[in-house]
Amino acid sequence: MESYSYKTKVELCRQTPMKECCAVAECYGMLLFGNTFSMREIRIVTGNAVLGKRIVALFVLAFKVSFDIMPDEDETGKQAYSITDTVKIDRIFEIYGFSKDKMLAHNVNLGVLEENCCRMSFIRGAFLTGGAVTDPAKSYHLELVTDHYNVSRQTYSLLLDMDFSPKETSRGGNYIIYFKQSAAIEDFLTLIGAPIHAMQLMSAKIEKDMRNSVNRKVNCDTANVTKIVDAAAAQISAIEKIKRAGLFEKLPEKLRQAAELRLENPDSAIKELGDISVPPVTKSCMNHRIRNILKFSLTIEDL
């Protein structure tokens, strides 16, 4: 069964880059958050066939190059797209302003991401190859994973400039930028071009909030019922104690009436007893009478 993350990436793949600079920026995100981006080989591995087609098309648009190794059309599971031709690799590195002789570690060249549309495309590419988002029916979590420390830090700063507030961590030699707030994930998905799944997340959150609200109300009602039942049981026990002692008739008339109402209505709340009293009395008044009955019972020794 296709995951929420898989389907989100399929939606993103429907986005058509209108400008070459955006294709270059999206490929940049794919490469820096993908599998291998070195002077000897460029390789992206994905189990998403729709994403695989987008990768091929973007590389042609951005670099005018094709992959040297591609999966067969009927191949399933993880699929690898690889470039080993040094001429092609040199061309790609040159477009991103990297020098083979001077580069010690990958960095994000912000000169490639001057326009807002290119920044958005870069983040989309990063998510497509190095990102994942959980099913919002279960939890809220979106992350971008790369094994390049500088790339992670610089992408984090880029997201801050784009008015996001992500968190950072590391795991198994990888560097992770992540979001845990549903609203931030909704905004992120909308920005990079997945408004349908952003809406699904919003709907899931509303449904979850409603379910939690109902559960809280049910729990509260259950607790109130339990409290009423426990209190009524204690009151009935006190009244029966008074009766066993033969002192029931000695109670003042108003207290006897309250006691009789309690015995006849063991599941009713104090307010309900006040409403059916003749004449009706307030909850406070009925509560006062019941407390006096309880106090009186405490003066009687158990028989």
Side-chain angles (χ1 to χ4, degrees):
M1 183 178 178
E2 295 174 349
S3 67
Y4 177 83
S5 189
Y6 181 100
K7 292 176 181 177
T8 301
K9 292 183 180 182
V10 169
E11 182 185 356
L12 289 173
C13 288
R14 299 193 187 109
Q15 297 289 324
T16 303
M18 301 303 293
K19 296 190 292 185
E20 183 177 322
C21 63
C22 291
V24 169
E26 186 168 330
C27 288
Y28 200 16
M30 287 181 172
L31 290 167
L32 291 175
F33 283 80
N35 300 88
T36 304
F37 184 27
S38 72
M39 298 296 181
R40 291 178 295 179
E41 182 186 16
I42 287 174
R43 181 164 54 93
I44 300 175
V45 179
T46 178
N48 189 325
V50 178
L51 174 55
K53 291 179 181 178
R54 182 175 183 84
I55 292 169
V56 172
L58 282 175
F59 269 62
V60 172
L61 178 58
F63 313 122
K64 310 298 186 292
V65 301
S66 59
F67 284 90
D68 299 322
I69 301 174
M70 290 178 57
D72 295 331
E73 289 187 5
D74 58 349
E75 188 174 332
T76 58
K78 293 291 185 180
Q79 302 173 347
Y81 299 80
S82 177
I83 296 175
T84 54
D85 186 317
T86 56
V87 175
K88 294 178 182 179
I89 293 175
D90 287 349
R91 174 174 174 75
I92 293 170
F93 272 81
E94 182 181 349
I95 287 174
Y96 291 127
F98 294 141
S99 170
K100 292 193 299 182
D101 301 327
K102 297 180 180 179
M103 193 184 78
L104 298 176
H106 279 298
N107 290 275
V108 178
N109 181 357
L110 295 178
V112 180
L113 310 175
E114 291 183 336
E115 302 295 331
N116 287 335
C117 59
C118 294
R119 291 185 171 199
M120 178 187 69
S121 297
F122 172 80
I123 298 299
R124 179 168 58 241
F127 178 78
L128 284 171
T129 57
V133 58
T134 58
D135 186 337
K138 299 177 181 176
S139 64
Y140 306 123
H141 183 85
L142 183 148
E143 65 181 28
L144 302 173
V145 183
T146 179
D147 58 1
H148 306 299
Y149 174 75
N150 291 338
V151 169
S152 183
R153 291 293 300 140
Q154 291 155 2
T155 303
Y156 175 84
S157 297
L158 182 62
L159 286 167
L160 291 178
D161 290 341
M162 297 168 74
D163 295 326
F164 287 98
S165 300
K167 304 288 186 181
E168 292 181 292
T169 189
S170 59
R171 182 175 64 228
N174 290 318
Y175 305 97
I176 302 163
I177 301 168
Y178 68 95
F179 297 92
K180 285 287 189 182
Q181 300 80 20
S182 61
I185 298 173
E186 290 167 18
D187 292 341
F188 183 94
L189 294 179
T190 300
L191 172 77
I192 63 175
I196 294 175
H197 282 78
M199 286 297 295
Q200 288 181 4
L201 190 151
M202 188 182 303
S203 297
K205 182 178 186 300
I206 292 172
E207 182 179 344
K208 189 182 295 184
D209 288 346
M210 288 181 63
R211 190 184 306 117
N212 289 340
S213 178
V214 170
N215 288 339
R216 283 195 297 271
K217 189 176 186 309
V218 169
N219 291 338
C220 182
D221 289 346
T222 300
N224 287 337
V225 169
T226 300
K227 184 177 179 182
I228 291 171
V229 170
D230 290 346
Q235 294 157 14
I236 290 171
S237 176
I239 295 168
E240 289 176 344
K241 180 180 178 182
I242 295 171
K243 282 193 168 188
R244 287 196 303 272
L247 299 174
F248 187 77
E249 297 301 325
K250 293 187 178 182
L251 287 173
E253 182 181 352
K254 292 180 180 179
L255 295 191
R256 282 202 313 275
Q257 182 194 45
E260 289 168 351
L261 286 173
R262 168 50 75 203
L263 293 174
E264 294 168 1
N265 303 275
D267 299 327
S268 296
I270 293 293
K271 184 180 183 308
E272 294 170 335
L273 294 181
D275 291 340
I276 61 177
S277 177
V278 181
V281 297
T282 64
K283 175 183 176 181
S284 176
C285 179
M286 180 57 69
N287 197 39
H288 178 72
R289 293 177 182 180
I290 294 294
R291 280 204 305 269
N292 283 337
I293 293 171
L294 292 172
K295 287 179 182 178
F296 182 67
S297 73
L298 294 175
T299 65
I300 303 171
E301 293 184 5
D302 289 323
L303 299 178

